Amino acid sequence: MSLEEYRSFHRRSIEEPEAFWSEQAAAVDWNRRWDEVRDYSRPPFVRWFAGGETNLCHNAVDRHLQERGEQTALAYVSTETGERAEYTYRELYAEVNAFAAALRGLGVGKGERVIIYMPMMPEAIFAMLACVRLGAIHSVVFGGFAAHNLAKRIDDAKPKVLITADAGMRGGSVVRYKPLVDEALDASRHPPEKVVVCHRGIDEEMPVDEGRDLDYSGLRQEHAGEEIPAEWVESSHPSYILYTSGTTGPPKGVQRDTGGYAVALVSSMKHIFASEPGETMFTASDIGWVVGHSYIVYAPLMYGMTSIVYEGLPIRPDPGIWWKIVEDYGVNTMFTSPTAIRALRKQDPKYMREHNTSSLRNLFLAGEPLDEPTSRWASESLGVTVRDNYWQTETGWPILSSLLPGLEDEPVVPGSAGFAVYGYDLKLVHEESGEEVGPGERGVLAIKPPLPPGCMSTVWGDDKRFVDTYFSDFPGDELYSTFDWATRREDGRYFIMGRSDDVINVAGHRLGTREIEEAISDHPDVAEAAAVGVKDEYKGQVVAAYVVPKESAPAGEELEESIKEIVAQRIGRIARPEIVRFVGALPKTRSGKLLRRSIQALAEGRETGDLSTIEDPAALEEIKAATPQSR
Ligand code: AMP
């Protein structure tokens, strides 16, 4: 195949979506065939495979039993606890059924929500699969998020049950989970009735609420050997909610369907990740992020692969650990973030050469811009092709990819995340007019609805917010905004140039400015704060906070430290500001809107744009003065 052939593959997905997607859907098991491939009677909402019935857990587990019952489904490696474990598809089936039986015993049924707040351990994946088996809706909350953040998600999802662990470990230090859960439950208005705890034996002092907390090992014993039939659900039945941050308001619950997601993921394993059933995939991410949902759990399992589940850092016990895993398990396809590779690049190159990584064909990187030196370093030291791909929590699978059918031999162009993925009708439009821009011109990347299978179906519990947030950015035709700047070359290659809103991306993790500002403003000595993302060599961006202290407050090192700490405590350590600067006022428009982009420009030593709407120009001067390149 060639680029020309891929173009016609893509064109067909847009012009004949029914035929195209029903062919892709043949790779998924259905209990009942759909009535309509695409129901777009209520734009911009779309229902893929309407009337069809399927189940993600059936597709990820049950359907492989006959052909691959003895194949390893999950290989678990923890360099934190030293544990390694393997589960065949048959063993996975037993574990998931026991977990599903336990949850059912606690009253979890179709449509009920379950929050999973866990470190990277196999039980977290059993729990996710058990939920979808029952038709329940899981919401995994990243284990690095603090109690306050967890409480917000609990109140939005109103779960029946919360599943957690006693503790996780990071870099050899114990991270206690259960006390955080207790704190979150105390702070929430809709605490779940029961908390299931997977006790790993790390935290012997773990607090227990006798009436509410249940030890999973007891439940597992009680339900061992039980088989719970997979609940067939209509294709658009929600499979999960995953919260993500935006510029305004509380985190949004990205709601995913069932059938469309299954089809998109299975087809992506073949067409984007160029993998085969029976092969091994290692996605070094966390189940708390969308990459973990899609490419640690659902896609590789539904496709019949072996998925590596890794708990630990990329540099411990030494920076060769990932390549050792590649060698030990014969990994064929790997997926991680540019930040992780940049962390490895700082280390002695000898670690790259110590292991035989010849089984590896492609290294996929996503989540943040991939810089050329990192890409070149990885491909040269590993002898693999590095494949940039671009997507969002909202889409669930890639929007742009540098590997697609026909592009195997196309040169990888550094800085480009690749071509439009089939199913996505992309438009590059002017920020204000919504008119399409030409090749080489900068625009906001938009998707002409309906969104393809696999993408979010709505914001959990708030259809209006879905439309208002994503489909109301441009005048004229209704378009989904990615809120990312991009350019496109004549040949169809896209280059992503950062967010058009104020979202901050630290090490591939998305953080909302508003949440950080709210946390800082809760500090008793703070009058006001602005948070912006500032370029960083390793993490892509770091958080910089410009803070107006209360008049009586001493602006000094102590206050700086306690501001950093309050953010870490309220949101999680990934949001901890790297830079805190004190100023007398923040620059705002006459209508009182913070001029975050101007602040960000100054913080990065760039010129500010048009400032005709500014209320108080002196405030900008102050920001400039507070930003000597002194980091
Ligand atoms: P998240 O929803 O947390 O995965 O964050 C999605 C955002 O990460 C996108 O809107 C982009 O701003 C950024 N992003 C993801 N992948 C890439 C990539 N390959 N290149 C540049 N930016 C990316």
Side-chain angles (χ1 to χ4, degrees):
M1 287 242 277
S2 64
L3 181 51
E4 219 20 78
E5 278 166 292
Y6 176 66
R7 285 196 183 117
S8 68
F9 185 80
H10 179 268
R11 206 173 313 119
R12 181 158 177 266
S13 74
I14 304 301
E15 289 171 1
E16 299 169 42
E18 275 88 5
F20 182 91
W21 285 112
S22 67
E23 282 163 27
Q24 302 300 322
V28 166
D29 268 10
W30 298 85
N31 181 52
R32 181 183 187 278
R33 195 179 160 84
W34 51 90
D35 301 320
E36 243 184 309
V37 174
R38 183 174 98 168
D39 169 5
Y40 194 44
S41 53
R42 196 168 68 100
F45 300 90
V46 59
R47 289 169 63 221
W48 286 98
F49 309 104
E53 282 179 9
T54 186
N55 180 288
L56 289 183
C57 183
H58 166 85
N59 274 284
V61 186
D62 305 32
R63 73 155 165 167
H64 301 308
L65 290 180
Q66 208 163 5
E67 216 182 306
R68 7 186 131 259
E70 309 320 314
Q71 179 193 314
T72 303
L74 297 177
Y76 178 63
V77 181
S78 171
T79 51
E80 297 289 353
T81 62
E83 194 187 339
R84 278 195 185 214
E86 287 181 30
Y87 299 86
T88 62
Y89 273 98
R90 201 170 302 289
E91 288 163 339
L92 179 62
Y93 176 81
E95 292 290 352
V96 170
N97 272 279
F99 219 125
L103 290 176
R104 199 177 64 172
L106 298 176
V108 174
K110 187 175 167 188
E112 218 84 58
R113 275 82 57 213
V114 173
I115 290 220
I116 300 175
Y117 180 71
M118 293 175 85
M120 287 292 285
M121 58 194 285
E123 285 78 2
I125 296 175
F126 305 157
M128 290 167 78
L129 291 166
C131 286
V132 294
R133 186 170 194 82
L134 296 168
I137 303 165
H138 61 67
S139 184
V140 182
V141 177
F142 174 56
F145 281 142
H148 174 79
N149 241 356
L150 176 59
K152 276 198 207 166
R153 285 152 171 81
I154 292 172
D155 283 340
D156 194 66
K158 304 186 181 61
K160 180 100 182 161
V161 168
L162 184 148
I163 307 170
T164 189
D166 56 336
M169 285 177 73
R170 196 179 152 79
S173 321
V174 171
V175 181
R176 301 179 80 206
Y177 274 53
K178 184 59 188 2
L180 276 175
V181 168
D182 292 345
E183 199 185 324
L185 295 195
D186 283 346
S188 65
R189 280 172 285 118
H190 301 278
E193 290 157 28
K194 294 289 173 199
V195 174
V196 173
V197 186
C198 298
H199 205 299
R200 314 172 79 186
I202 297 177
D203 183 6
E204 296 303 343
E205 324 256 276
M206 184 188 86
V208 177
D209 177 331
E210 294 295 345
R212 189 197 62 195
D213 302 346
L214 296 156
D215 178 26
Y216 182 64
S217 64
L219 290 174
R220 180 172 176 265
Q221 235 169 18
E222 196 182 317
H223 296 283
E226 282 181 43
E227 287 183 279
I228 304 288
E231 173 87 26
W232 300 113
V233 294
E234 199 274 333
S235 181
S236 39
H237 179 72
S239 55
Y240 66 77
I241 309 167
L242 182 56
Y243 288 88
T244 190
S245 303
T247 316
T248 52
K252 291 180 286 286
V254 166
Q255 177 179 321
R256 195 89 60 207
D257 74 345
T258 299
Y261 188 52
V263 172
L265 289 189
V266 172
S267 100
S268 76
M269 286 316 306
K270 176 172 172 186
H271 297 307
I272 299 175
F273 295 93
S275 300
E276 295 290 332
E279 290 189 338
T280 301
M281 179 156 193
F282 176 16
T283 298
S285 178
D286 189 286
I287 48 150
W289 307 115
V290 69
V291 173
H293 280 66
S294 293
Y295 294 104
I296 296 175
V297 185
Y298 290 113
L301 293 180
M302 285 196 287
Y303 200 53
M305 298 179 78
T306 299
S307 181
I308 309 275
V309 182
Y310 178 71
E311 179 185 46
L313 301 177
I315 50 168
R316 264 175 51 107
D318 67 56
I321 178 62
W322 281 3
W323 320 118
K324 179 167 168 43
I325 291 174
V326 168
E327 178 174 6
D328 288 354
Y329 294 91
V331 173
N332 310 104
T333 304
M334 191 163 168
F335 190 169
T336 190
S337 66
T339 291
I341 300 297
R342 284 193 291 265
L344 292 174
R345 197 174 144 220
K346 280 199 284 186
Q347 315 290 326
D348 188 334
K350 75 170 193 208
Y351 292 108
M352 300 293 282
R353 293 191 293 266
E354 271 176 357
H355 302 282
N356 178 356
T357 54
S358 59
S359 58
L360 196 59
R361 288 193 303 267
N362 289 296
L363 171 63
F364 292 88
L365 298 177
E368 54 181 315
L370 172 62
D371 54 291
E372 187 181 349
T374 303
S375 172
R376 199 172 341 99
W377 178 82
S379 65
E380 279 167 13
S381 19
L382 285 170
V384 297
T385 316
V386 173
R387 305 283 189 178
D388 195 356
N389 61 112
Y390 155 86
W391 44 299
Q392 316 181 300
T393 305
E394 287 85 346
T395 65
W397 66 298
I399 305 170
L400 299 176
S401 171
S402 49
L403 184 55
L404 284 159
L407 304 185
E408 296 80 4
D409 300 323
E410 280 295 313
V412 168
V413 173
S416 168
F419 297 84
V421 167
Y422 54 92
Y424 289 92
D425 190 0
L426 297 185
K427 307 277 173 209
L428 206 49
V429 300
H430 187 273
E431 181 190 15
E432 271 148 28
S433 70
E435 305 270 332
E436 284 197 61
V437 302
E441 282 179 61
R442 193 175 88 141
V444 176
L445 189 61
I447 307 169
K448 184 160 179 245
L451 298 176
C455 294
M456 75 188 291
S457 20
T458 187
V459 171
W460 172 254
D462 201 345
D463 283 353
K464 184 173 180 304
R465 195 169 175 206
F466 175 62
V467 179
D468 290 351
T469 306
Y470 297 105
F471 293 91
S472 310
D473 223 32
F474 313 107
D477 281 354
E478 205 165 51
L479 289 174
Y480 168 94
S481 178
T482 63
F483 300 103
D484 280 304
W485 293 113
T487 60
R488 184 182 54 227
R489 275 184 6 184
E490 287 282 5
D491 64 5
R493 280 190 172 83
Y494 284 85
F495 295 75
I496 297 292
M497 307 170 77
R499 298 282 298 195
S500 68
D501 59 5
D502 300 319
V503 159
I504 305 176
N505 188 324
V506 177
H509 303 319
R510 199 204 284 197
L511 301 171
T513 39
R514 252 285 293 276
E515 289 167 84
I516 299 174
E517 287 162 5
E518 271 174 15
I520 299 176
S521 305
D522 272 353
H523 191 291
D525 290 337
V526 169
E528 232 190 331
V532 296
V534 177
K535 269 207 182 85
D536 180 83
E537 199 187 338
Y538 292 110
K539 295 181 182 168
Q541 283 189 318
V542 291
V543 177
Y546 288 84
V547 178
V548 182
K550 286 198 178 142
E551 262 175 37
S552 52
E557 236 171 76
E558 214 172 295
L559 182 56
E560 185 178 325
E561 241 344 270
S562 68
I563 285 172
K564 289 180 176 175
E565 214 29 57
I566 200 169
V567 178
Q569 266 173 24
R570 296 288 297 265
I571 303 175
R573 48 179 189 275
I574 48 167
R576 190 183 155 93
E578 184 97 1
I579 306 159
V580 173
R581 296 274 183 266
F582 295 110
V583 290
L586 293 170
K588 291 188 185 154
T589 62
R590 279 179 211 117
S591 56
K593 257 185 93 182
L594 257 179
L595 284 162
R596 287 201 197 81
R597 273 190 230 171
S598 308
I599 301 176
Q600 184 190 32
L602 291 175
E604 291 183 342
R606 290 182 284 116
E607 287 301 311
T608 53
D610 173 25
L611 291 175
S612 53
T613 57
I614 192 167
E615 168 74 23
D616 173 16
L620 269 187
E621 287 308 314
E622 236 199 303
I623 298 275
K624 213 173 189 168
T627 312
Q629 307 304 324
S630 60
R631 291 179 35 212

